[in-house]
Amino acid sequence: MKRMQFMMIWGFCFLIFSSVNSQENQNQAYWIHEDQVRPGQVEEYTEHARKLVAMANEHNFQGMGWNVAQMDDGTFLSITPIDDFEHLQSLSFASLQEKVGQEKFSQLMNGFNKYYDYHGDYITILDNDLSYMPAGEGVVQDGKDFRKWHFMKVTAENDSKMREKLRELKDLYGKKNSKMHYRIYRSGFGQMGNNYVAVLSAKDAQDYARLSAENDQVLGEEGKKKFREIMDLVTEYRNMQGQMRPDLAYHPTVVAAQPIQKD
């Protein structure tokens, strides 16, 4: 039974990554670890997360890297880009655990459990075909740590219509040369339903409000019409704001190859 379950999981992952890699503009898949931190313990959680970053830096951990986003409700997202199923399987803290010792490492990791009741992992896919990114912006953008997330859920029946409307919206933004750029993420393995998330970046909340007001003027009535058509397809909607947390991110330093010693 366990082998069958593993093969089914592998099959789903294979289909996801095949879909990602078959796009003309290759989409990027991300492994997300989500911690729903209790609002009253956000400060303690961040201090504990810094200990993991410090440990990784101290031992030049090469197993993986991650960026971190924090939402105002206490949700933290650790974001790691992945290429394929084999790459996902290779991501591990094993080498760090070996360097610091199992007891010390387990004590640090288990310490996170004090700050949340729920956490989990899933895959999300940055859909370049639906995103409006004239400058090719990624997860991290210099000087733009503020984030606004728009979460949209649609039925399976309306999924293709949703993609069509999002393409039309992207075309409108391009035609109007909008200065408000956005990225569209869609659900991957580990998520129920057909989910889309529009993520927008700005310097801060005030900058976002300015860009949004200017964008409304630029898009005009055409923009209002497109947004109505999209929302008519959405069964659930919510938005959240927050920020990137570079102090909680970790990026392995590149280890230079050692020259081959000749006898």
Side-chain angles (χ1 to χ4, degrees), residues 49-66 90-106 108-109 112 250 252:
R50 289 191 186 100
K51 293 179 183 178
L52 176 59
V53 176
M55 180 183 285
N57 279 314
E58 179 183 355
H59 297 279
N60 194 21
F61 172 54
Q62 297 292 312
M64 72 179 83
W66 59 86
S90 73
L91 300 177
S92 169
F93 281 109
S95 62
L96 183 60
Q97 178 176 312
E98 183 178 350
K99 288 182 178 180
V100 304
Q102 182 175 350
E103 183 177 353
K104 184 177 180 180
F105 180 78
S106 297
L108 176 65
M109 297 306 288
F112 282 105
Y250 176 71

Side-chain angles (χ1 to χ4, degrees), residues 18-212:
S18 296
S19 173
V20 169
N21 293 325
S22 66
Q23 300 294 326
E24 184 175 349
N25 295 322
Q26 280 200 339
N27 297 325
Q28 177 64 58
Y30 293 91
W31 169 31
I32 308 295
H33 179 79
E34 179 174 322
D35 290 336
Q36 298 178 4
V37 180
R38 302 183 194 101
Q41 294 184 287
V42 166
E43 186 174 346
E44 293 90 338
Y45 171 89
T46 55
E47 286 301 319
H48 197 80
R50 289 191 186 100
K51 293 179 183 178
L52 176 59
V53 176
M55 180 183 285
N57 279 314
E58 179 183 355
H59 297 279
N60 194 21
F61 172 54
Q62 297 292 312
M64 72 179 83
W66 59 86
N67 289 298
V68 175
Q70 176 188 352
M71 297 180 181
D72 285 352
D73 67 348
T75 299
F76 285 77
L77 307 175
S78 296
I79 307 163
T80 301
I82 50 179
D83 299 327
D84 50 34
F85 184 51
E86 184 177 358
H87 183 202
L88 178 62
Q89 286 184 306
S90 73
L91 300 177
S92 169
F93 281 109
S95 62
L96 183 60
Q97 178 176 312
E98 183 178 350
K99 288 182 178 180
V100 304
Q102 182 175 350
E103 183 177 353
K104 184 177 180 180
F105 180 78
S106 297
Q107 184 178 15
L108 176 65
M109 297 306 288
N110 291 337
F112 282 105
N113 296 333
K114 297 184 294 185
Y115 308 116
Y116 49 67
D117 297 313
Y118 304 100
H119 71 135
D121 301 270
Y122 53 88
I123 292 170
T124 190
I125 299 167
L126 172 61
D127 196 317
N128 289 313
D129 189 40
L130 305 180
S131 302
Y132 177 65
M133 304 184 298
E137 300 91 338
V139 172
V140 176
Q141 300 168 40
D142 290 340
K144 293 184 177 181
D145 281 343
F146 178 86
R147 292 291 182 274
K148 186 81 171 188
W149 291 268
H150 297 270
F151 297 89
M152 299 167 285
K153 184 183 290 288
V154 299
T155 63
E157 181 183 22
N158 286 330
D159 189 53
S160 60
K161 295 178 183 177
M162 181 68 166
R163 293 184 62 82
E164 179 183 347
K165 291 302 177 183
L166 288 173
R167 288 192 191 96
E168 291 177 2
L169 182 67
K170 176 182 178 179
D171 290 343
L172 178 61
Y173 269 66
K175 184 178 74 172
K176 297 288 187 177
N177 193 27
S178 172
K179 304 304 180 185
M180 179 164 252
H181 304 168
Y182 60 86
R183 301 172 301 288
I184 297 290
Y185 295 85
R186 54 182 170 84
S187 50
F189 184 73
Q191 298 187 64
M192 291 291 291
N194 300 286
N195 307 300
Y196 293 86
V197 186
V199 183
L200 299 95
S201 306
K203 296 177 182 178
D204 50 36
Q206 292 74 23
D207 185 44
Y208 174 82
R210 177 187 60 81
L211 287 169
S212 182

